[in-house]
Amino acid sequence: MSFLTVLLLGIGLSMDAFAVAVCKGLAMKKLTVKGCVIAGLWFGGFQGMMPLIGYMLGINFQQYIERIAPWIACILLILIGGNMIKESFEKEEEQEDSGALHVKEMFILAVATSIDALAVGITFVCTPVRILTGAGSLLNTLVACGIIAFLTFSISVGGVKIGNVFGTKYKQKAEITGGLILILLGLKILLEAY
């Protein structure tokens, strides 16, 4: 995977966090820089950590999956993207949310929005990241995870601000866009392999 592919992957993965950040921003009565940064750190931190965990788990099975790696990466990304699009059309239950950034709630939200990044980490084993020339696979994966974390942090901070200003108007569009990006990346990986 090239730098551009990782960049697009990071944007696609961050759309779930963006949608939740918009909802957090909507629920906040008073928007503060601290609140935006806290939400961004939760979402960005988990979004960067989960692919690394997926990579570490996947590296143990590399010898078994190398021949079918492009298919695995493609299928995982299409499933994740398709699920994001499907969820964008589901009706959410209305919940009372104070907009507070409680540790327990933010932990659950951060895990929920980044669980798909765990599967993406497995695709890093199937389709190695090549950002730093001459660097090993682990270092390239760490850089990719850092890029994903930074993008998600930035997009989540923006999401809180947008949610506070505009409401949930863009939530569905963000999820659909993120899903489409992941599906297209999956197809790109498969096409490049053959």
Side-chain angles (χ1 to χ4, degrees):
M1 277 187 206
S2 67
F3 174 76
L4 180 61
T5 303
V6 171
L7 198 64
L8 291 171
L9 187 61
I11 292 169
L13 286 172
S14 68
M15 290 299 113
D16 274 351
F18 173 77
V20 173
V22 167
C23 293
K24 292 305 290 178
L26 178 68
M28 289 180 176
K29 294 190 185 350
K30 183 180 179 198
L31 183 67
T32 64
V33 172
K34 181 181 175 183
C36 291
V37 170
I38 289 172
L41 287 173
W42 274 104
F43 294 128
F46 274 81
Q47 204 71 264
M49 181 177 61
M50 289 297 214
L52 183 59
I53 293 169
Y55 173 80
M56 297 308 244
L57 293 171
I59 201 80
N60 295 319
F61 304 104
Q62 182 176 11
Q63 63 185 3
Y64 304 111
I65 60 176
E66 279 183 338
R67 281 183 273 149
I68 58 170
W71 286 98
I72 292 172
C74 178
I75 290 168
L76 285 173
L77 290 172
I78 287 173
L79 287 173
I80 294 165
N83 189 52
M84 283 177 70
I85 292 170
K86 181 184 83 119
E87 287 177 355
S88 73
F89 291 103
E90 292 176 357
K91 195 108 172 143
E92 288 185 25
E93 293 180 23
E94 291 294 321
Q95 294 180 356
E96 181 122 355
D97 186 0
S98 65
L101 301 169
H102 301 293
V103 172
K104 182 180 175 185
E105 179 188 5
M106 291 306 295
F107 176 80
I108 292 168
L109 290 172
V111 169
T113 58
S114 65
I115 203 76
D116 51 355
L118 187 69
V120 168
I122 295 170
T123 69
F124 288 167
V125 175
C126 302
T127 309
V129 177
R130 291 186 176 91
I131 297 173
L132 302 175
T133 309
S137 181
L138 179 60
L139 182 57
N140 272 301
T141 299
L142 286 170
V143 170
C145 292
I147 291 168
I148 291 168
F150 177 75
L151 284 169
T152 304
F153 169 83
S154 303
I155 289 170
S156 297
V157 167
V160 172
K161 175 70 174 164
I162 289 169
N164 193 260
V165 175
F166 297 109
T168 57
K169 181 179 179 183
Y170 300 107
K171 180 180 181 285
Q172 182 181 29
K173 290 177 183 170
E175 289 177 335
I176 291 170
T177 302
L180 288 173
I181 288 172
L182 293 178
I183 289 169
L184 292 173
L185 281 175
L187 294 172
K188 177 183 179 282
I189 288 169
L190 189 61
L191 291 173
E192 285 178 348
Y194 296 102

